[in-house]
């Protein structure tokens, strides 16, 4: 058997920061898949299990790349309007946004630690949903994942229709992008959109999974479900169409800040292994802002671009959230006030990723959670807002600068290219031929010579250490050998115990892949893994008369680390000297996903990032150089067909049968409001919460709950709004941006009864939906008094919840409205300490919401911790009937004359505190 002591591997193969995997679980999975167990004594190249693909057959001839006959490729149609001319025209722009439906019950990406065999994170109760596979199922939403689109068109005054142009820049709150989303959206929208859609992901690690057809990425995203994929595509298409229909004359501007966030309040460098290359710590310090206004100067869109990893919420979180990107966007949205009656709609804010591969979020901790067994859903949801507040001023300053030079007449060109990666080693030749791989045969021992000298000033070529005909994974991470030891079949030949990342690599041969297929109940497929053989890159050029000039946007299909993005900028400047830093925007996590993208030297420097890559040290630079090849046709005045002769990996179409089981028993059917909550509900507050009763009351800062019986989540996620009674009418709460308060300020969770999904023939379940609202103003709530530094000014009065509940056969079918009983919001009770000091009484007034989950005070970064009531004006009522006005200092303190009897303090909003 495999001796763990001889192979102290640090197993962290969850997609982006999963927890340490248990090697014993892997061994059990291997034993169940291959009863003979790992042949750790087999020599390199020994097929062990008899799989023909485990090693190349050597007959004395030269190595040849392994076949890809098992992969299904589809030919790409011509780029739209190819053959025409790139001409300037009047700019029109449209924006739109919508929620991604999910659904709840699917898995969340992108942590492998959410799998039952690799960490068991997020399994909060006995529910197991078939759609989530072996991963923990999502149970609710906080900030609902969104899709946002900015559509730009020109051509109203061009001479020929083929000279017109349109492009859609789409932001999706998903863990990664996927080329299937791009090509399927193009197919549905029609030939005029081919090559003109860019889909960039937020990389939230708490967004929907189950949509990605890349076999290897199922290790972090669970099984591919065509149901989830099709829903996401349909929502992308709908938003693009809506943005296109809403176009109006517009103007566009760009701004650049080269030294963003020097104090690391927003983000920080997380990869110390490459400090020797960067000359110290280096993160993505470049901030770009794309600004779009109407022709009259009304703001339409703000797109900040910088890299930061959305991992504020950990693998144990199973409530969907946009994470740090949503925190940035929500704060910025409320800086643009707009009437709900405005035909423009709210200003679109979409944070786009730059080089986020080695950049972690900063922010400030706000929430103290109880032990997991008491409240397994508790998370620091409010921390994302602290990042948004730390970033907003720098972004808004650049937004103002972008408005100084704007163009309303521009030439636009958008192009894409799909290219081969592995298994042909010749595809990875980079640096003008100076760096390449030796042929892959899977057998030839490496010479273990990597650097040209002891100072690591250069690399020797050809590289013979990465001898992986089918690719390799789990490289780096400080491992000294592969999973099966130095002589195991997955070890790159003669690389064990090397200082560079090669030592830990595992060749992607069937015996290795079957471990993950068995343990995670996924289908990776035979090697080479099809989606590692092709990928897509895109670019946009926007050019106007001076002083506006020319700007270029290029995409990278993966997680670029900072040094790789800097390498691409350097190459672009060499090719086109006018493409200075302020005129070249690099979008990461866009169009597709191929793991981390690093320079060769950075990949060799070990650490975590090389473990999530498939074609070794030259892969990142090869992708970057393919992006660079778009510059020629992109800057040409002739519209070229850069898809000519190219193919893409087809989207899988597995057999699926996911059913929405629902009870039809009277009193249990969807739409019913139970008199009392069931004994168990999955909520952030814990498993037992009260039902909203007739004439319910809640004090500011406290939580109130409403539970109803709805449909299975496959029907769609209920849309919840909060309404307030005003002059006899019910009005929904709105934000200053014009948006309704529909998420982010309350948490929606789902609890089926019984918890496990029924087997065929068993009784359907009852599905309880619960909304938890903390009675404080929504972020940017319209009409709320801003005088107080804290969120204590929620208007008093009568409120209710309204849930728009999907029903019927289709997930985009009909809806019904479930309206809660009304309830009354009352003033908050504050905390007050008193201490006599001679003839004076020192009072200290605190705000404390022990069960809070919203950010109450940005200065102290508190959600559920006590903090001073800063700089507030209060009325003090003494026991003798007298009163006086006082102003608290910044620590919430004031000195009063000492008088006998109790005292009571009241602020201008009616909130109060009492003391003997």
């Amino acid at each position: 058997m495999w001796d763990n002591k001889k192979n102290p591997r640090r197993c962290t193969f969850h997609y982006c920061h999963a927890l340490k995997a248990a090697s014993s679980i892997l061994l059990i999975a291997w034993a169940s898949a291959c009863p003979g167990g790992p042949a750790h004594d087999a020599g390199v190249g020994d097929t062990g299990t008899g799989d023909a693909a485990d090693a190349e057959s050597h007959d004395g001839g030269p190595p040849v790349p392994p076949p890809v006959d098992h992969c299904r490729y589809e030919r790409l149609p011509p780029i739209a309007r190819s053959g025409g001319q790139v001409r300037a025209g009047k700019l029109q722009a449209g924006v739109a946004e919508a929620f991604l439906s999910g659904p709840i019950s699917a898995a969340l990406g992108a942590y492998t630690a959410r799998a039952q065999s690799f960490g068991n994170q997020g399994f909060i109760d006995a529910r197991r949903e078939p759609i989530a596979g072996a991963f923990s199922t999502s149970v609710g939403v906080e900030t609902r994942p969104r899709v946002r689109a900015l559509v730009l068109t020109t051509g109203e005054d061009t001479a020929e229709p083929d000279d017109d142009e349109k492009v859609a820049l789409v932001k999706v709150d998903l863990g990664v992008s996927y080329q299937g989303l791009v090509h399927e959206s193009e197919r549905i929208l029609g030939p005029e959109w081919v090559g003109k859609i860019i889909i960039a992901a937020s990389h939230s690690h708490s967004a929907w999974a189950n949509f990605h057809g890349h076999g290897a990425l199922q290790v972090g995203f669970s099984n591919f479900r065509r149901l989830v994929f099709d829903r996401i595509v349909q929502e992308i298409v709908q938003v693009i169409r809506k943005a296109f229909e809403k176009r109006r004359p517009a103007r566009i501007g760009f701004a650049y800040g080269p030294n963003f966030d020097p104090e690391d309040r927003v983000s920080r460098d997380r990869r110390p292994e490459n400090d020797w290359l960067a000359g110290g710590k280096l993160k993505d310090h470049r901030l770009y802002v794309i600004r779009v206004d109407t022709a009259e100067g009304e703001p339409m869109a703000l797109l900040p671009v910088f890299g930061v990893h959305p991992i504020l919420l950990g693998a144990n979180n199973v409530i969907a959230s946009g994470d740090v990107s949503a925190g940035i966007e929500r704060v910025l949205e409320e800086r643009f006030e707009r009437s709900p009656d405005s035909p423009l709609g709210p200003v679109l804010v979409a944070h786009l990723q730059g080089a986020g591969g080695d950049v972690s979020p900063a922010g400030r901790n706000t929430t103290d959670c109880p032990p997991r067994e008491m409240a397994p859903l508790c998370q620091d949801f409010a921390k994302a807002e602290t990042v948004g507040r730390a970033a907003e001023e720098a972004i808004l300053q650049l937004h103002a600068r972008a408005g100084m030079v704007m163009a309303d007449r521009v030439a636009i060109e958008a192009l894409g290219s799909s290219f081969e990666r592995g298994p042909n080693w010749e595809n990875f030749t980079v640096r003008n031929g100076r760096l390449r791989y030796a042929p892959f045969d899977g057998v030839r021992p490496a010479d273990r010579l990597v650097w040209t000298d002891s100072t690591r000033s250069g690399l020797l070529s050809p590289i013979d250490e990465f001898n992986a005909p089918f690719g390799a994974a789990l490289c780096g991470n400080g491992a000294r050998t592969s999973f099966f030891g130095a002589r195991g079949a997955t070890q790159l030949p003669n690389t064990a115990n090397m200082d560079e990342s090669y030592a830990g690599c595992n060749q992607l041969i069937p015996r290795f892949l079957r471990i993950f297929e068995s343990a995670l109940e996924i289908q990776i497929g035979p090697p080479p893994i099809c989606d590692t053989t092709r990928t897509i890159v895109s670019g946009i050029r926007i050019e106007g008369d001076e002083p506006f000039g020319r700007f270029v946007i290029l995409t990278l299909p993966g997680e670029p680390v900072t040094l790789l993005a800097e390498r691409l900028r350097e190459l672009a400047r060499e090719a086109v000297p006018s493409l200075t830093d302020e005129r070249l925007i690099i979008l990461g996590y866009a169009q597709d996903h191929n793991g981390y993208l690093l320079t060769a030297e950075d990949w060799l420097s070990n650490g975590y990032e090389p473990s999530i890559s498939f074609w070794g040290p030259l892969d990142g630079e090869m992708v970057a150089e393919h992006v660079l090849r778009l510059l020629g046709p992109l800057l040409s005045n002739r519209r070229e067909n850069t898809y000519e002769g190219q193919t893409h990996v087809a989207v899988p179409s597995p057999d699926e049968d996911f059913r929405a089981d629902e009870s039809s028993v009277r009193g249990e059917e969807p739409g019913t409001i139970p008199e009392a909550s069931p004994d168990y509900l999955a909520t952030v507050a814990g498993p037992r919460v009260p039902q909203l009763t007739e004439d319910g009351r809640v004090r500011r800062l406290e939580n109130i709950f409403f539970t109803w019986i709805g449909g299975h989540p496959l029907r769609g996620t209920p849309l919840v709004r909060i309404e307030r009674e005003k002059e006899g009418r019910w009005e929904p709460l709105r934000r200053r941006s014009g948006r309704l308060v529909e998420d982010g300020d309350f948490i929606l969770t789902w609890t089926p009864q019984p918890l496990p999904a029924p087997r065929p023939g068993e009784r359907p379940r009852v599905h309880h939906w619960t909304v938890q609202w903390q009675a404080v103003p929504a972020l940017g709530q319209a009409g709320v008094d801003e005088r107080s530094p804290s969120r204590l000014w929620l208007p008093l009065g009568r409120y209710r919840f309204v849930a728009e509940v999907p029903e019927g056969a289709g997930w985009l079918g009909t809806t019904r409205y479930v309206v809660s009983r009304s309830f009354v919001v009352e003033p908050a009770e504050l905390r007050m300490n008193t201490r006599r000091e001679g003839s004076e009484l020192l009072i200290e007034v605190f705000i404390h919401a022990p069960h809070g989950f919203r950010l109450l005070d940005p200065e102290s970064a508190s959600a559920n911790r006590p903090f001073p009531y800063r700089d507030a004006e209060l009325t003090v009522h003494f026991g003798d009937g007298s009163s006086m006005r006082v102003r608290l200092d910044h620590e919430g303190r004031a000195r009063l004359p000492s008088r006998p009897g109790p005292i009571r303090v009241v602020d201008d909003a009616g909130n109060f505190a009492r003391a003997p």
Side-chain angles (χ1 to χ4, degrees):
M1 296 294 289
W2 182 35
D3 186 349
N4 288 330
K5 294 181 180 179
K6 294 180 180 178
N7 191 7
R9 172 146 183 94
R10 184 174 155 230
C11 303
T12 58
F13 192 60
H14 60 276
Y15 192 78
C16 295
H17 294 273
L19 303 180
K20 185 176 181 181
S23 59
S24 59
I25 299 293
L26 283 177
L27 192 58
I28 293 171
W30 166 260
S32 64
C34 303
H40 65 276
D41 291 327
V44 172
D46 185 349
T47 59
T49 62
D51 292 309
D54 274 14
E56 286 296 292
S57 175
H58 301 286
D59 57 3
V64 295
V68 293
D69 299 342
H70 58 284
C71 298
R72 187 164 64 93
Y73 300 105
E74 294 178 350
R75 187 163 296 280
L76 285 165
I79 295 280
R81 292 168 291 287
S82 54
Q85 295 294 312
V86 180
R87 291 190 174 93
K90 284 290 187 180
L91 177 67
Q92 289 199 323
V95 298
E97 60 185 45
F99 295 130
L100 288 173
S101 64
I104 293 175
S105 74
L108 300 180
Y111 290 109
T112 300
R114 289 194 179 109
Q116 61 189 14
S117 299
F118 278 71
N120 291 296
Q121 295 292 308
F123 290 90
I124 63 166
D125 51 33
R127 78 185 78 191
R128 298 291 187 273
E129 293 301 308
I131 195 170
F135 284 64
S136 51
T137 179
S138 57
V139 303
V141 289
E142 182 241 353
T143 50
R144 294 176 64 139
R146 285 167 165 78
V147 52
R148 301 169 171 89
L150 167 65
V151 168
L152 303 174
T153 67
T154 63
E156 280 194 345
D157 57 352
T158 56
E160 299 290 338
D162 283 345
D163 297 341
D164 300 349
E165 182 60 309
K166 61 176 105 176
V167 61
L169 187 52
V170 181
K171 157 73 181 295
V172 289
D173 285 330
L174 295 172
V176 295
S177 193
Y178 172 39
Q179 55 88 15
L181 297 175
V182 178
H183 298 308
E184 188 68 4
S185 298
E186 293 174 348
R187 185 191 66 79
I188 295 173
L189 286 167
E192 67 271 21
W193 285 99
V194 174
K196 308 301 179 181
I197 300 173
I198 289 180
I199 299 179
S202 68
H203 198 46
S204 168
H205 284 49
S206 292
W208 312 120
N210 296 117
F211 71 93
H212 215 293
H214 191 312
L217 294 190
Q218 292 182 30
V219 172
F221 288 81
S222 189
N223 309 70
F224 174 77
R225 306 300 193 196
R226 187 76 197 209
L227 177 149
V228 179
F229 172 84
D230 286 341
R231 289 188 182 187
I232 292 173
V233 167
Q234 187 165 351
E235 286 157 341
I236 290 171
V237 167
Q238 289 176 338
V239 167
I240 292 174
R241 284 174 172 160
K242 185 177 179 181
F244 184 77
E245 292 167 358
K246 292 173 60 179
R247 287 172 303 140
R248 60 180 59 237
R251 56 190 189 181
I252 190 169
F254 294 79
Y256 167 62
N259 190 31
F260 174 59
D261 188 40
E263 297 178 351
D264 289 355
R265 296 170 60 230
V266 176
S267 63
R268 58 178 175 79
D269 173 28
R270 75 171 201 187
R271 180 163 167 76
E273 291 85 359
N274 65 8
D275 288 354
W276 72 279
L277 290 165
K281 287 191 173 298
L282 180 67
K283 67 175 184 179
D284 187 2
H285 54 85
R286 303 181 187 277
L287 170 64
Y288 296 85
V289 164
I290 304 172
R291 171 176 176 167
V292 180
D293 292 353
T294 67
E296 297 77 26
E298 289 292 321
M300 293 182 68
L302 162 61
L303 281 66
V305 184
F306 64 92
V308 59
H309 235 76
I311 50 173
L312 292 177
L313 304 176
N316 57 11
N317 175 55
V318 284
I319 293 179
S321 170
D323 205 277
V324 69
S325 286
I328 294 164
E329 290 160 346
R330 295 180 71 230
V331 168
L332 289 169
E333 286 171 351
E334 301 313 313
R335 297 297 293 266
F336 298 93
E337 189 167 352
R338 183 147 292 166
S339 165
D341 300 323
S342 171
L344 293 175
V347 174
L348 180 86
V349 178
H351 166 240
L352 301 176
Q353 288 287 356
D358 53 353
V359 184
S360 284
R364 302 175 66 189
N365 297 327
T366 71
T367 306
D368 295 328
C369 285
R372 300 295 301 174
E373 61 270 16
M374 295 177 60
L377 291 179
C378 181
Q379 295 284 332
D380 193 352
F381 293 111
K383 188 173 183 178
E385 186 180 335
T386 72
V387 179
R389 292 182 178 274
E392 66 176 323
E393 288 308 321
I395 293 172
L396 290 172
Q397 287 174 12
L398 283 193
H399 180 263
R401 194 188 309 169
M404 296 178 181
V405 180
M406 303 188 79
D408 60 4
R409 180 179 170 81
V410 295
I412 299 179
E413 173 70 311
L415 297 171
S417 177
S418 177
F419 57 91
E420 295 183 17
R421 297 169 68 219
N424 189 342
W425 55 86
E426 294 180 353
N427 292 335
F428 297 94
T429 301
V430 298
R431 301 188 190 180
N432 293 320
R434 295 192 302 273
L435 207 54
R436 60 186 177 86
Y437 288 137
F440 299 159
D441 65 9
V443 174
R444 181 194 60 251
D447 62 14
R448 302 175 67 91
L449 301 176
V450 177
W451 308 96
T452 56
D453 54 46
S454 60
T455 65
R456 298 188 291 182
S457 62
L459 291 171
L460 293 170
S461 181
I463 293 172
D464 67 350
E465 285 77 16
F466 192 80
N467 186 1
F470 307 102
L474 295 185
C475 305
N477 251 333
R480 307 304 293 177
T481 68
S482 72
F483 253 58
F484 297 146
R487 300 184 62 217
T490 64
Q491 184 78 45
L492 294 178
N494 197 34
T495 59
N497 297 307
M498 290 185 69
D499 292 332
E500 293 78 18
S501 300
Y502 298 121
C505 287
N506 289 265
Q507 296 192 61
L508 299 180
I509 57 176
R511 65 166 56 188
F512 180 69
L513 299 181
R514 279 197 296 270
I515 295 174
F516 294 94
E517 289 184 324
S518 175
L520 302 179
E521 301 175 17
I522 58 177
Q523 293 295 321
I524 297 175
I529 300 169
C530 295
D531 272 272
T532 69
T533 69
R534 300 282 193 285
T535 195
I536 180 178
V537 294
S538 295
I540 303 174
R541 158 196 167 197
I542 301 176
E543 187 167 355
D545 294 337
E546 294 296 338
F548 182 83
R550 179 170 62 196
F551 295 87
V552 170
I553 301 171
L554 298 176
T555 69
L556 286 170
E559 306 193 44
V561 302
T562 305
L563 287 177
L564 189 279
E566 295 301 295
R567 172 69 176 162
L568 178 54
R569 292 182 194 284
E570 177 187 348
L571 294 174
R573 282 194 300 269
E574 292 175 0
V576 184
S578 62
L579 277 184
T580 53
D581 290 341
E582 63 268 25
R583 294 188 173 273
L584 175 61
I585 299 176
I586 297 173
L587 301 184
Y589 305 88
Q591 301 297 75
D592 198 15
H593 202 81
N594 298 281
Y596 286 89
L597 302 175
L598 304 95
T599 65
E601 291 84 356
D602 199 352
W603 190 95
L604 290 166
S605 298
N606 231 305
Y608 169 75
E609 287 73 14
S611 70
I612 311 297
S613 63
F614 303 105
W615 292 110
L618 303 186
D619 190 22
E621 291 195 44
M622 182 271 285
V623 170
E625 292 188 10
H626 269 280
V627 178
L628 197 69
R629 294 175 193 174
L630 277 179
L631 283 179
L634 197 62
L635 302 182
S636 166
N637 285 327
R638 182 178 183 275
R639 298 199 186 280
E640 300 188 27
N641 179 21
T642 49
Y643 275 174
E644 184 174 4
Q646 296 180 353
T647 62
H648 70 92
V649 180
V651 177
S653 294
D655 293 332
E656 296 178 349
D657 185 19
F658 300 111
R659 300 184 180 182
D661 65 286
E662 295 164 353
S663 175
S664 58
V665 176
R666 184 174 177 81
E668 295 181 349
E669 71 273 17
T672 303
I673 300 176
E675 289 298 319
S677 296
D679 291 339
Y680 172 80
L681 288 173
T683 76
V684 170
R688 297 184 67 87
V689 297
Q691 171 67 304
L692 177 59
T693 59
E694 194 72 42
D695 294 324
R697 295 178 180 274
V698 62
R699 292 198 179 277
R700 291 173 177 143
L701 302 180
E702 295 178 351
N703 293 306
I704 192 165
F705 303 86
F706 169 51
T707 298
W708 73 95
I709 295 174
H712 190 284
L714 291 180
R715 298 267 189 239
T717 302
L719 190 62
V720 179
R721 300 187 180 101
I722 303 172
E723 295 183 342
R724 177 178 175 241
E725 188 179 35
K726 188 174 182 181
E727 299 178 356
R729 298 175 56 190
W730 289 100
E731 297 182 354
L733 299 189
R734 286 191 179 272
R735 308 184 195 274
R736 288 189 294 273
S737 64
R739 293 171 173 86
L740 291 168
V741 176
E742 296 176 311
D743 73 326
D745 299 282
F746 51 82
I747 294 175
L748 175 68
T749 54
W750 157 70
T751 309
Q753 301 286 350
L755 290 165
R759 296 184 178 90
E762 292 184 341
R763 182 175 182 270
R765 292 175 294 177
V766 179
H767 300 277
H768 290 92
W769 292 86
T770 303
V771 57
Q772 175 182 349
W773 180 49
Q774 186 180 1
V776 297
L779 178 60
Q781 182 172 327
V784 173
D785 196 320
E786 292 287 330
R787 289 177 297 167
S788 173
S790 63
R791 286 178 167 162
L792 279 173
W793 292 79
L794 179 71
L796 302 176
R798 190 169 292 277
Y799 290 77
R800 71 181 186 183
F801 299 105
V802 177
E804 190 174 334
V805 179
E807 62 179 7
W811 67 278
L812 287 177
T814 59
T815 59
R816 75 166 70 189
Y817 290 89
V818 178
V819 181
S820 77
R821 303 176 177 96
S822 64
F823 58 93
V824 175
V825 172
E826 299 181 327
E829 183 166 3
L830 311 176
R831 304 289 182 89
M832 181 167 61
N833 296 329
T834 61
R835 185 173 72 249
R836 295 186 184 276
E837 294 184 353
S839 62
E840 292 185 319
L841 183 69
L842 176 67
I843 65 170
E844 296 177 295
V845 183
F846 294 88
I847 299 168
H848 188 203
H851 304 293
F853 59 89
R854 295 281 315 288
L855 180 65
L856 300 179
D857 180 50
E859 183 173 338
S860 62
S862 176
N864 65 355
R865 305 164 182 158
F867 62 93
Y869 195 2
R870 308 180 194 279
D871 307 314
E873 291 189 358
L874 307 175
T875 299
V876 182
H877 300 275
F878 294 96
D880 60 7
S882 62
S883 63
M884 63 180 293
R885 293 282 287 179
V886 298
R887 183 179 181 85
L888 302 178
D889 65 17
H890 200 61
E891 300 304 319
R893 298 172 298 196
R895 292 184 179 276
L896 312 175
S898 180
R899 298 178 186 178
I903 64 170
R904 186 172 187 266
V905 298
V906 183
D907 69 9
D908 292 343
N911 304 302
F912 64 95
R914 294 173 289 198

